[in-house]
Each structure stands twice: as C-alpha cells, then as structure tokens.
C-alpha cells in the first residue's frame, strides 16, 4: 500500500478541486470521485492509504458508503460533513470513521487531520506487523502459528491468545478475558483464567523456551508483548 495515496469522495466540484490541489501540493497522490459508487468500484483495485468521504453525496449517504467501504478496506476514513443535522449523526452512533472535518474547513486543518490520522494508523499497523512476525493468526481455521509452528490449542486457549494478540501490550483483566473467551462466563471462576494461561505458556515454551510473550500483571491480569 502506498503511504500517500488519498481518495477524495466529494460531489461538490469546487471543494473537491481545492482539496485535491492542496493535498497534491503537500506531496500526496489523490484520486477524486464525485460519487460513492465510483469510489467503491475503485476500491476493488489497490486500496488508498486514506479516504476523505463527503457525508452528503448525490448517490447516497456517506454513512452507508462507509459501511460498504469497510467491507473492502481497512483504510482510515475522514468524513467531510456539513454544519447541519449531519454533524449530530457523525459525532453520535454513526461515527465509525477515524475523524471528521466540518465544512467550511481551513485547508491547513485538513492537511493536519490527514497527517494525524495517517500517523496514528501507521504506528498501529507496524505494531501489528511486528506481532505477525512472531504469531500468525488464522481466525477462519481457528489456528495460531508461533514462530512458524502450529500451536495445538484448546478452544479457550485459542480464544485467550486471540484476545491478547488483538491488542498487543494492552492489559486485560481476568474478567475481560473471561467475557471474551467463554460463551457463558461465570465470574466466580475468574481464577480459571490463570490455569489456562499457564498451559498456554507451557505450549509457547515448548517452541521457544527462552521467550515469554505473556506478561502477568499482579492483581490485574495479563498482556501480551509479541517480541519478548
Ligand atoms: Ca456533498
């Protein structure tokens, strides 16, 4: 994925042109779409690094297009929204996107927001890439490889490791792990997490005796640091 390719989905030609001109002057490569449908069609190809999405498009609502964009790409989305009823929906339940900018916006603000979102997404993407080198998660087959070796996990061990891998370095409490790993969590049994973590650690140690990626946080819970 190119790090500086931006899709602009905006049906007002004057806004689209100004945004396009400004971003290109800042070194970004842009593609403009006057309809959401056009953007969706283009997403079948190489995804952009970011999408600026007008909320009020001629061929439909940006919220609806956002859902369909998410089925095709994880690229961050910034809504371009008018200062009316739209904004309440943007900041409310329909947000979903990574950020929003209210029209009329200053071009300096636009560039700053675009850079901030790209920076945020870039750091989390590389954190995940670092994880992928050590652990490989295959949610469809419910399998996890560790240092290229398939782990033989019980369902609960799989779910625990999947949860920890989902947010590296985040500390999960036993209660949170129970909620995510058990279909019918019984919180009187939170200590059961400890025994599952113990057996999980043993399985990881069989592959790498010198490494211990699961950290115990006394009195709190557990986190996973892939590289350790
Ligand atoms: Ca519009």
């Amino acid at each position: 994925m190119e790090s500086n390719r931006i899709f602009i989905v905006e049906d007002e030609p004057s806004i689209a042109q100004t945004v396009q001109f400004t971003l290109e002057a800042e070194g970004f490569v842009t593609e403009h779409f006057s309809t959401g449908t056009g953007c969706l069609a283009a997403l079948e190809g190489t995804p952009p690094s970011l999408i600026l999405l007008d909320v009020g498009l001629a061929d439909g609502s940006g919220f609806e297009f956002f859902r369909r964009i998410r089925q095709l790409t994880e690229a961050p989305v910034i809504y371009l929204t008018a200062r009316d009823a739209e904004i309440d929906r943007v900041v409310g339940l329909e947000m979903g996107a990574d950020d929003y900018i209210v029209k009329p916006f200053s071009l300096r603000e636009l560039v700053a927001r675009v850079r901030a979102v790209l920076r945020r997404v870039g750091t989390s993407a590389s954190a995940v890439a670092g994880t992928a080198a050590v652990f490989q998660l295959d949610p469809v087959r419910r399998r996890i490889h560790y240092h290229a070796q398939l782990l033989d996990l019980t369902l609960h061990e799989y779910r625990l490791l999947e949860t920890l891998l989902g947010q590296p370095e985040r500390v999960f409490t036993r209660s949170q792990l129970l909620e995510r790993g058990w279909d019918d969590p019984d919180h009187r049994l939170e200590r059961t997490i400890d025994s599952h973590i113990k057996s999980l650690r043993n399985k990881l140690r069989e592959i790498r005796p010198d490494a211990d990626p699961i950290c115990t946080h006394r009195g709190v819970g557990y986190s996973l640091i892939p590289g350790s």
Side-chain angles (χ1 to χ4, degrees):
M1 186 170 76
E2 289 175 57
S3 62
N4 62 352
R5 197 157 143 266
I6 296 179
F7 280 9
I8 302 161
V9 194
E10 170 61 67
D11 60 356
E12 211 163 311
S14 61
I15 295 178
Q17 277 166 20
T18 317
V19 168
Q20 200 162 17
F21 180 82
T22 303
L23 291 175
E24 296 210 337
E26 293 287 325
F28 293 101
V29 177
T30 66
E31 277 179 62
H32 171 233
F33 305 92
S34 52
T35 62
T37 314
C39 170
L40 289 174
L43 285 174
E44 303 287 350
T46 311
S49 39
L50 187 141
I51 300 168
L52 292 171
L53 179 61
D54 180 20
V55 169
L57 288 162
D59 63 334
S61 133
F63 302 123
E64 179 52 35
F65 283 116
F66 174 77
R67 272 186 274 275
R68 293 166 66 188
I69 286 169
R70 267 292 162 271
Q71 291 165 3
L72 297 168
T73 176
E74 287 298 310
V77 171
I78 299 179
Y79 283 133
L80 303 177
T81 175
R83 207 183 272 282
D84 59 15
E86 282 175 8
I87 193 169
D88 296 330
R89 298 184 67 198
V90 169
V91 297
L93 288 175
E94 310 254 21
M95 178 77 190
D98 296 86
D99 203 352
Y100 67 97
I101 303 175
V102 181
K103 297 175 189 174
F105 46 82
S106 84
L107 295 167
R108 182 184 295 203
E109 181 193 6
L110 173 83
V111 172
R113 297 287 190 92
V114 165
R115 288 201 192 286
V117 168
L118 286 175
R119 223 173 13 245
R120 206 159 68 212
V121 172
T123 43
S124 61
S126 58
V128 172
T131 311
V134 179
F135 288 96
Q136 278 168 324
L137 181 68
D138 178 355
V140 177
R141 296 187 189 82
R142 284 204 168 162
R143 297 198 311 199
I144 300 175
H145 282 80
Y146 177 55
H147 289 287
Q149 290 195 46
L150 179 64
L151 291 165
D152 180 17
L153 302 173
T154 65
L155 176 63
H156 288 138
E157 288 164 0
Y158 171 84
R159 287 183 176 173
L160 282 174
L161 189 52
E162 182 190 40
T163 301
L164 294 168
L165 278 170
Q167 289 170 276
E169 297 183 33
R170 170 179 165 180
V171 180
F172 288 91
T173 64
R174 289 181 182 81
S175 162
Q176 287 166 336
L177 291 170
L178 202 64
E179 289 285 345
R180 287 166 174 79
W182 273 254
D183 293 325
D184 189 13
D186 180 346
H187 286 275
R188 288 169 302 176
L189 301 177
E190 278 178 17
R191 291 284 156 182
T192 193
I193 295 288
D194 297 347
S195 58
H196 285 89
I197 290 281
K198 190 178 173 193
S199 67
L200 191 51
R201 269 190 173 132
N202 287 339
K203 289 178 182 181
L204 298 176
R205 280 211 187 97
E206 278 172 26
I207 294 172
R208 281 289 166 112
D210 52 327
D212 188 11
I214 298 175
C215 302
T216 305
H217 299 265
R218 267 181 204 289
V220 186
Y222 299 95
S223 69
L224 185 131
I225 299 177
S228 57

